[in-house]
Amino acid sequence: MAKETALSGIRPTGELHLGNYFGALRQWVSIQEKYDCHFMVADLHSLTTLETTKNIKEKTLELAGLWLASGLNPKKSTIFLQSAIPEHGELGSIFSTLLPVSMLELNPTYKEMVSENPKAGSFGIMNYPVLQAADILIYKASRVPIGKDQDPHIEITREIARRFNRRFGNIFPEPRSMFDEVPKIYSLSSPQKKMSKSHGPDSYIALLDSPDKIRRKIKSSVTDSGSEIKYDELNKPAISHLLDIFYLVSDKSAKELEKKYKNSGYAEFKKDLAEAIIKHLTPIQKKYAEISKNPKAIEKILKDGSERARAVAQKTTREVKSKIGLLDF
Ligand code: AMP
């Protein structure tokens, strides 16, 4: 039986952090055998939030290098560059005719971005989930391994697939999100917000942060009142989120950690958490140091992957045009 197709992407907008890693990348690595995987550096999407595109090439290679260092294997997965496949934009423009603007205005990630930065309300940001639907459906992916924050976008993808299929004929699957054990990692400085590149470097741990930086960031992370180490998301969100991270980097459950730190304060807990994060990231950082010595090899992996991806994208685009009834030369 043919494998189901999975697609996901990350924007090369800054430092890859633990939210990206535990929300998306770790599960990408784990599903490479089970699914026909397509992983994309979402450079076109990054234009919606990047103020400057000055380092975008370097950021693209850094991101792909970190994927390889984390265990993505180009022999198993198609690793490619969004902007190298013009058919994404072509399908996106067809999809943009299927939804009312009001549906996109209600998208929670759009509302959040605009409320945080009213000047950021470009058409590109509102159109983000439409282009994302094209990214996914052009490969007829039925699975999308992502963090919880992206779930509303997959609902929009499903709606677009339904509307296209109803109007022109059934060719697209209705994809489903796939989440890892902890589908949302929270900011170190504001425990109500997700960990994000846009909330400042002290709010996240980057995969390439040095041990000293990690120790400093964890030491200064926000905690709740009272010194008890207890998993209680409602009353102690900050410590609960730190317990989630501790679990992910050490495999020790919240119960085990609560027991271990029952009689110690936050300081000892944080000290050990920082060391556990450092231990977890060290092998990735070492591999990245090797891989990044040869940016040409990373570029070649992206180029080869993009050629493979483009062949699939072109086939779907031809099928779409034929279903709609467009002339196709
Ligand atoms: P982005 O950085 O927005 O391009 O996100 C790339 C991937 O990382 C998406 O699958 C997101 O859902 C995931 N992601 C980003 N931030 C977090 C977070 N704080 N927790 C879980 N997943 C996240």
Side-chain angles (χ1 to χ4, degrees), residues 88-101:
H88 286 223
E90 199 178 341
L91 189 59
S93 78
I94 292 172
F95 284 171
S96 71
T97 63
L98 297 173
L99 288 185
V101 170

Side-chain angles (χ1 to χ4, degrees), residues 112 116 187 189-190 193-204:
E112 191 185 315
E116 277 176 10
S187 155
S189 49
S190 349
K193 292 186 178 162
K194 70 168 182 178
M195 185 176 279
S196 161
K197 296 163 234 191
S198 52
H199 300 144
D202 282 349
S203 68
Y204 62 81

Side-chain angles (χ1 to χ4, degrees), residues 8-25 27-28 42 45-46 49 63 67 113 128 132 144-151 178-179 182-187 193-197:
S8 195
I10 298 182
R11 293 169 302 150
T13 42
E15 299 178 295
L16 194 71
H17 55 68
L18 288 185
N20 303 127
Y21 181 74
F22 286 117
L25 184 52
Q27 49 166 346
W28 297 4
H45 284 297
S46 72
T49 50
L63 183 60
W67 291 359
M113 273 170 153
Y128 190 134
Q132 193 173 1
V144 192
I146 44 170
K148 190 80 184 161
D149 57 312
Q150 286 280 320
D151 201 28
M178 288 170 88
F179 299 124
V182 181
K184 191 166 182 179
I185 309 296
Y186 287 83
S187 155
K193 292 186 178 162
K194 70 168 182 178
M195 185 176 279
S196 161
K197 296 163 234 191

Side-chain angles (χ1 to χ4, degrees), residues 122-155:
S122 69
F123 174 69
I125 286 190
M126 191 161 70
N127 195 48
Y128 190 134
V130 176
L131 181 56
Q132 193 173 1
D135 301 332
I136 296 166
L137 294 174
I138 207 158
Y139 303 102
K140 300 199 176 170
S142 51
R143 301 300 217 122
V144 192
I146 44 170
K148 190 80 184 161
D149 57 312
Q150 286 280 320
D151 201 28
H153 289 191
I154 307 311
E155 198 38 64

